[in-house]
Every structure is written in structure tokens, then in C-alpha cells.
Amino acid sequence: MPQALSANQRRHLRSLAHPLRPVILVGAKGITDGLIAELEIALERHELLKVKISGADRDDRDAMIDALVDRSAASLVQRVGNIATLYRRSRENPQIILPR
């Protein structure tokens, strides 16, 4: 289940994510099991990452973002255009300290 983020925590995560480049790219094949496996590895390692989704229309991109959030148990920090920022605390080695 995704962690509920407060407005202050979202603001903090947005500031940390600003210089980041997309790590995961969702292409024409959409969301596959391999893509979810890579997303799991990236979230465990980085905690905060950007996902670039190349979908034709906004509704398709929104559906893909919802599917990524649901399948990875990550929290959606923000969505700007075709790029979504996701956060999930690392189980092994937490690095980002969220404000209260």
C-alpha cells in the first residue's frame, strides 16, 4: 500500500526530484512484468525517481501512472506532462528523511 504523503513531504520530495532525470521509460509495449521488476529495483536503490511515459493521450498516461503506483506500492509525488515522480521508502537502506 502506498505511503500517504503530507503536503510538506510532497514539497520536500519535489525539491529533491527537481534535478533528477527519468530512470524508467515506459514505451510502446506499455507496462510489462520486466518493467515492474526494473521499477522495483530502482525504487529500492534510489527511493525517489522519475518515470517517463510515452502515451498518446492524457487518459492513457494517467492509467499507466495509476498502474505503476498500484503495482509498485509507491507514492505519486507529482505528475508534470508525461513524467511522473514516484517515492517509496527503501526497505534495506533508507536514505531520504521526510519532514513531518
Side-chain angles (χ1 to χ4, degrees):
M1 175 147 189
Q3 177 182 353
L5 298 172
S6 70
N8 195 24
Q9 291 169 336
R10 283 186 195 277
R11 189 175 320 119
H12 177 69
L13 290 171
R14 280 195 313 262
S15 70
L16 293 176
H18 182 71
L20 299 179
R21 293 192 168 271
V23 174
I24 303 291
L25 304 173
V26 180
K29 292 184 180 179
I31 298 171
T32 63
D33 291 336
L35 182 114
I36 294 298
E38 288 297 319
L39 179 62
E40 292 288 335
I41 292 168
L43 282 169
E44 185 61 33
R45 178 174 290 164
H46 301 290
E47 294 183 315
L48 181 67
L49 54 90
K50 288 184 178 178
V51 178
K52 184 173 184 177
I53 299 170
S54 57
D57 66 359
R58 183 182 184 112
D59 294 333
D60 289 343
R61 289 193 305 260
D62 287 343
M64 286 184 194
I65 290 170
D66 290 341
L68 288 174
V69 167
D70 289 342
R71 290 184 67 181
S72 67
S75 298
L76 179 64
V77 176
Q78 74 175 352
R79 177 189 179 277
V80 177
N82 61 345
I83 297 179
T85 305
L86 304 178
Y87 169 77
R88 187 181 74 196
R89 185 175 174 87
S90 174
R91 294 174 187 97
E92 302 291 323
N93 186 20
Q95 300 169 0
I96 297 175
I97 299 170
L98 293 177
R100 292 190 179 258

